[in-house]
Amino acid sequence: MTNLVQLTSDNGVAIITINNPPVNALSPGVPEGISEALDQIAQNASVKATVLIGGGRTFVAGADIKEFGKMTSGKPRGAGLLPLLLKIEDSAKPVIVAIHGTAFGGGMELAMAGHYRVALATAQFGQPEVKLGLIPGAAGTQRLPRLAGVAKAVEMCVSGNPVNAEEALKLGIVDRIIEDDLLSGAIAFALEVADKPAPKTRERNEKLRSAAENALIFSAAREALAKKQRGLLAPASAIDAVEAATKMPFDEGCKAEQKLFIECLFSEQSKSLIHVFFSEREVAKIPDIPKQTNVFPIHSAVVVGAGTMGGGIAMVLANAGIPVLLKEADQAALDRGMTTIRSNYANSVKRGRFSQQIAEERLKRITPTLTYDDFSNVDLVIEAVFEGMALKKEVFRELDRVCKPGAILASNTSTLSIDEIASATSRPESVIGTHFFSPANVMRLLEIVRGKASSKEVVATCMQLSKTLGKVGVLVGNCRGFVGNRMFGPYRREAQFLIEEGASVEAVDRALSDFGMAMGPLATGDLAGLDVGWRIRKEYLHLEVPGIRQPFVEDRLCELGRYGQKTGAGWYKYDDQRRASPDPAVGELIRNWVEEAGTEQRQISAAEITDRCLYALVNEGARILEEGYALRASDIDIIYINGYGFPAHRGGPMWYADAVGLKRVYDRVCEFHRQHGEIWQPAPLLKQLAEQGKTFAEFGREQGVTA
Ligand code: 3H9
């Protein structure tokens, strides 16, 4: 037997233990080991029943995703699982699957092939394949509806979201919850059922319901998909596969599932989503900061500034169990901040996100204050005052005076230099940027900005903190706009140029949302407030190179007080529910302004709109990568997916560019350079990789920063 699987016995019960850390993925060797163990058990007349269990922290988190990346065509390696599952189900003696941690993907499929399932109360069950652009590929779509019913199977396979043990018990996925020791409980259960006929999941058809009932479930699921996840292959295939379970005998259903699984496996969408899965884990690995670097405990925090960002950040800390002081300069602003926080919590309770009691506990962790008096004991300060260097420096000077040595002093700036802010203190090693995204309590991205003096411990602590806060922390360097906003500048600049050259507001936004962006660039501006960029542009006016084309329409809109959603008008007009509709007045204004400026007007295709906006993003990303402000191209992808609504199934802007081919991207950038001048100067790294026929991913591997 392989060393990944062990066979032991206890009181006449055979115990098969899977030991493939960290998550017992079904890597090559694991299915073979289970199969060999079953052969040995079959030959042993004294065995009354079998328990299948995972060693270590979890049952089985699924097929080995790394294996998928190695497959380019042909039969997927995981396909060998299907015969194993039949072998388990056909065992003469009952097989009881004992689950702790997660039974996900292939792990869930393995569990469902057993005759019974017992689990710890903390266990989770799911078919998350869809999040990797896949569907269950080892009969999950065929066995799950037989255990949990068709509607639940559709929901779980389409959303990829897990259910907990209590729900799994109600649904019929689990037969018993074990309160104490899982293995002992599973053995006791095995002895109870040893002499009874063992039910085979694949023969349990009673939950498959009538064709008419099922038709309603499938049509509702397809309708929801068309609204929310248009163009995604995996969720649509998951519905088709569960439908096959209701219309075909089990074996035929499995074949239908296989065909759909393989289509998904070799799709660009799946490759992109698997890239996102590994990139999200890689982002935590900082080459010059070893895993064992000292991390400071964060037991208490202060947020300075109770505006939208400060209030949101205070909530994020409180939600994670960290008591937080919320400091403002005057009572009215503090009251406004606390009122917003209270109403945000009340809304969450109303929407059923958490209970009133949880909301109260969280609220209790936030203490409003007007003074710096209680700052001397806190472990972490996050400054979130108005975005202006003079004010930020003043706050940091004060923090330096009142905070204990070793406290982390973080700034939530989105554009200003962390090094300059740090220069206001006597301890620049403790200063770092923590750039949250609005709304801070919702958005997953946290850019952690490393100043030139930020200590490794401070960086490691903030990376760790991002996990505690439920965020994806990405380490970035200290350049203007850091990574996300620095790239967003050229992206939105192109959107505005396109408007000035003749595209309509709606056409620009539609092209990008058809590509998959959560929102078009102009609607995004309206949401964030056009005045924010306007103010920043004025602050940085002295840095603009004369003679370089700048968009002007958005500034003109701001001059008219059209700041976006908050003023009821921006690129669009808004009703009192903040619902957008096209504004003919904007079209009229733009026509007049461009005529006045003498900008030539022309028809612009959707393809040009996406190329201009996305390649502007990629070109700037390449520059950032080359200058070292992002560690890896995949870090940029994670920033864009989690902070800017870039579609995960496209893998992020840099992955997307690799998929298009850097030569093609570079040629197009050169074309734009010829047409539109210096702002389109190709990034040297893009040029180099295009000429070498390489990708950004290969560049990362050569630099030793990507696996
Ligand atoms: C599937 O099963 C298809 C089937 O239908 C069969 C087809 C035939 N494979 O997330 P963490 C690694 S598709 C390989 O940081 P956590 C991960 O990269 C699969 N590696 O821990 C990381 O490595 P490193 C369906 C995996 O405690 C380490 O384990 N299943 C796999 O925060 C720790 O991971 C899924 O989609 C894997 N399956 O979360 C489940 N899973 O340390 C995917 C993890 O080098 N996994 N790794 O960076 C998860 O959702 C989370 O990992 C889990 C643990 C919740 C299990």
Side-chain angles (χ1 to χ4, degrees):
M1 201 172 310
T2 64
N3 58 0
L4 301 173
V5 176
Q6 285 80 42
L7 177 60
T8 52
S9 75
D10 185 344
N11 206 8
V13 175
I15 302 159
I16 304 176
T17 308
I18 304 167
N19 268 310
N20 183 24
V23 293
N24 289 332
L26 298 169
S27 318
V30 175
E32 293 81 352
I34 299 173
S35 180
E36 275 175 50
L38 289 171
D39 290 340
Q40 290 186 22
I41 292 166
Q43 282 162 20
N44 186 343
S46 67
V47 171
K48 296 179 218 153
T50 300
V51 167
L52 174 64
I53 194 167
R57 69 191 228 207
T58 186
F59 177 62
V60 171
D64 188 336
I65 304 167
K66 285 193 197 85
E67 293 294 314
F68 295 146
K70 295 178 199 159
M71 299 176 206
T72 45
S73 63
K75 203 171 176 196
R77 271 171 241 191
L81 259 186
L82 275 171
L84 171 68
L85 303 189
L86 289 176
K87 186 169 177 174
I88 294 174
E89 214 169 32
D90 288 337
S91 295
K93 304 285 171 56
V95 176
I96 292 86
V97 185
I99 299 146
H100 69 301
T102 49
F104 277 0
M108 176 78 175
E109 293 169 307
L110 180 63
M112 290 192 293
H115 303 104
Y116 301 96
R117 283 146 297 279
V118 298
L120 289 184
T122 48
Q124 292 200 305
F125 302 80
Q127 299 284 181
E129 287 88 343
V130 72
K131 297 185 181 176
L132 302 171
L134 296 171
I135 65 164
T141 60
Q142 309 301 299
R143 286 197 176 87
L144 187 56
R146 288 176 160 86
L147 282 183
V150 177
K152 195 67 198 181
V154 168
E155 185 195 313
M156 287 175 71
C157 294
V158 170
S159 71
N161 294 334
V163 295
N164 61 25
E166 193 189 335
E167 194 180 352
L169 182 69
K170 276 192 211 137
L171 289 167
I173 295 172
V174 163
D175 300 288
R176 182 177 293 171
I177 307 270
I178 306 288
E179 299 299 337
D180 303 316
D181 180 59
L182 180 62
L183 182 58
S184 321
I187 293 172
F189 185 94
L191 291 171
E192 279 173 42
V193 298
D195 298 326
K196 297 186 184 147
K200 292 182 186 178
T201 307
R202 70 174 191 267
E203 290 172 0
R204 293 169 61 175
N205 294 336
E206 66 277 8
K207 286 195 178 172
L208 293 181
R209 306 277 201 91
S210 72
E213 281 172 289
N214 291 336
L216 289 177
I217 295 171
F218 296 124
S219 65
R222 289 192 174 104
E223 218 171 280
L225 212 62
K227 274 193 204 134
K228 281 198 199 143
Q229 293 173 290
R230 199 161 38 103
L232 292 193
L233 183 61
S237 304
I239 301 175
D240 293 349
V242 178
E243 189 172 35
T246 66
K247 292 191 165 161
M248 298 174 183
F250 181 81
D251 292 350
E252 293 299 309
C254 287
K255 280 187 201 144
E257 182 199 76
Q258 266 305 291
K259 190 166 168 285
L260 291 160
F261 174 76
I262 289 170
E263 266 168 37
C264 290
L265 182 63
F266 297 126
S267 68
E268 276 305 318
Q269 293 188 359
S270 174
K271 288 194 188 96
S272 303
L273 286 162
I274 289 175
H275 157 74
V276 174
F277 176 86
F278 286 115
S279 302
E280 241 181 68
R281 281 147 185 89
E282 192 145 34
V283 95
K285 295 165 190 158
I286 315 295
D288 72 324
I289 302 186
K291 239 182 167 176
Q292 56 277 14
T293 303
N294 191 22
V295 168
F296 304 136
I298 304 291
H299 297 304
S300 57
V302 173
V303 174
V304 184
T308 313
M309 284 313 289
I313 296 168
M315 289 173 72
V316 171
L317 291 161
N319 297 353
I322 301 172
V324 46
L325 282 172
L326 182 60
K327 154 96 174 67
E328 250 304 344
D330 70 83
Q331 191 66 48
L334 191 57
D335 291 346
R336 264 197 311 276
M338 287 305 292
T339 304
T340 307
I341 290 173
R342 270 189 220 102
S343 94
N344 283 342
Y345 277 135
N347 276 337
S348 295
V349 172
K350 224 188 281 166
R351 294 201 181 125
R353 291 212 187 104
F354 41 77
S355 66
Q356 177 68 27
Q357 190 196 340
I358 289 182
E360 277 165 23
E361 280 164 19
R362 291 176 174 186
L363 191 57
K364 240 189 260 162
R365 290 193 198 111
I366 304 176
T367 310
T369 180
L370 289 171
T371 70
Y372 283 95
D373 288 352
D374 298 317
F375 279 40
S376 59
N377 284 323
V378 295
D379 301 316
L380 164 76
V381 182
I382 300 179
E383 163 279 310
V385 301
F386 184 78
E387 190 78 348
M389 184 54 89
L391 178 62
K392 299 239 180 215
K393 278 180 151 174
E394 193 184 311
V395 171
F396 272 76
R397 234 172 264 124
E398 195 57 27
L399 293 176
D400 191 31
R401 199 178 61 76
V402 295
C403 290
K404 68 180 180 188
I408 294 181
L409 309 182
S411 172
N412 177 55
T413 176
S414 53
T415 48
L416 301 174
S417 165
I418 287 298
D419 292 335
E420 194 175 342
I421 294 173
S423 73
T425 73
S426 62
R427 43 173 132 172
E429 69 284 359
S430 297
V431 179
I432 194 161
T434 47
H435 178 206
F436 287 82
F437 287 71
S438 185
N441 50 326
V442 176
M443 299 295 285
R444 280 185 83 212
L445 178 63
L446 176 60
E447 275 188 331
I448 296 171
V449 190
R450 186 178 192 168
K452 66 172 187 282
S454 311
S455 77
K456 290 185 180 179
E457 288 81 3
V458 167
V459 173
T461 305
C462 289
M463 292 300 290
Q464 172 74 41
L465 178 72
S466 65
K467 275 201 186 140
T468 313
L469 302 182
K471 305 282 174 204
V472 186
V474 185
L475 190 65
V476 299
N478 179 34
C479 58
R480 182 176 156 194
F482 314 126
V483 171
N485 283 348
R486 176 168 160 187
M487 288 168 67
F488 206 53
Y491 169 76
R492 288 203 74 254
R493 174 201 73 202
E494 285 308 309
Q496 295 169 65
F497 282 161
L498 286 157
I499 298 285
E500 292 172 15
E501 291 164 29
S504 71
V505 173
E506 300 82 58
V508 170
D509 276 353
R510 199 178 323 113
L512 272 313
S513 63
D514 282 350
F515 172 81
M517 297 296 292
M519 256 181 148
L522 304 168
T524 308
D526 274 359
L527 175 70
L530 302 181
D531 56 319
V532 179
W534 186 38
R535 213 173 42 230
I536 293 169
R537 279 191 293 280
K538 282 194 270 190
E539 172 137 359
Y540 283 115
L541 206 56
H542 61 286
L543 296 179
E544 299 301 351
V545 183
I548 297 275
R549 180 180 173 193
Q550 293 294 338
F552 63 89
V553 171
E554 202 161 275
D555 288 354
R556 295 273 182 93
L557 291 174
C558 288
E559 283 159 18
L560 296 175
R562 297 184 69 115
Y563 292 171
Q565 290 195 14
K566 60 183 161 191
T567 56
W571 288 104
Y572 296 87
K573 61 180 175 190
Y574 295 88
D575 64 16
D576 47 11
Q577 306 284 313
R578 293 203 169 189
R579 276 180 303 228
S581 55
D583 190 347
V586 169
E588 191 57 39
L589 284 169
I590 295 170
R591 265 191 300 281
N592 293 339
W593 291 334
V594 293
E595 196 177 313
E596 204 180 286
T599 317
E600 195 187 317
Q601 300 293 288
R602 62 195 171 86
Q603 284 285 328
I604 300 176
S605 69
E608 180 178 345
I609 294 173
T610 46
D611 282 2
R612 288 266 297 270
C613 293
L614 295 171
Y615 295 168
L617 208 55
V618 173
N619 199 35
E620 195 62 28
R623 244 184 259 285
I624 287 175
L625 202 56
E626 188 172 25
E627 291 164 10
Y629 291 112
L631 272 170
R632 298 164 269 249
S634 57
D635 285 11
I636 297 178
D637 291 334
I638 294 305
I639 288 177
Y640 261 77
I641 289 168
N642 290 288
Y644 295 84
F646 199 96
H649 69 272
R650 303 257 193 196
M654 309 310 272
W655 178 264
Y656 169 70
D658 278 352
V660 169
L662 294 190
K663 169 84 174 64
R664 237 177 96 184
V665 175
Y666 172 66
D667 287 346
R668 199 81 169 113
V669 168
C670 290
E671 204 180 316
F672 294 147
H673 187 206
R674 283 191 297 274
Q675 290 164 0
H676 304 285
E678 268 322 275
I679 40 170
W680 273 102
Q681 178 75 42
L685 180 64
L686 177 63
K687 178 173 191 286
Q688 177 200 318
L689 295 175
E691 284 171 357
Q692 293 170 342
K694 288 188 178 159
T695 60
F696 289 122
E698 282 167 326
F699 173 72
R701 283 194 286 275
E702 281 167 14
Q703 302 276 304
V705 288
T706 310

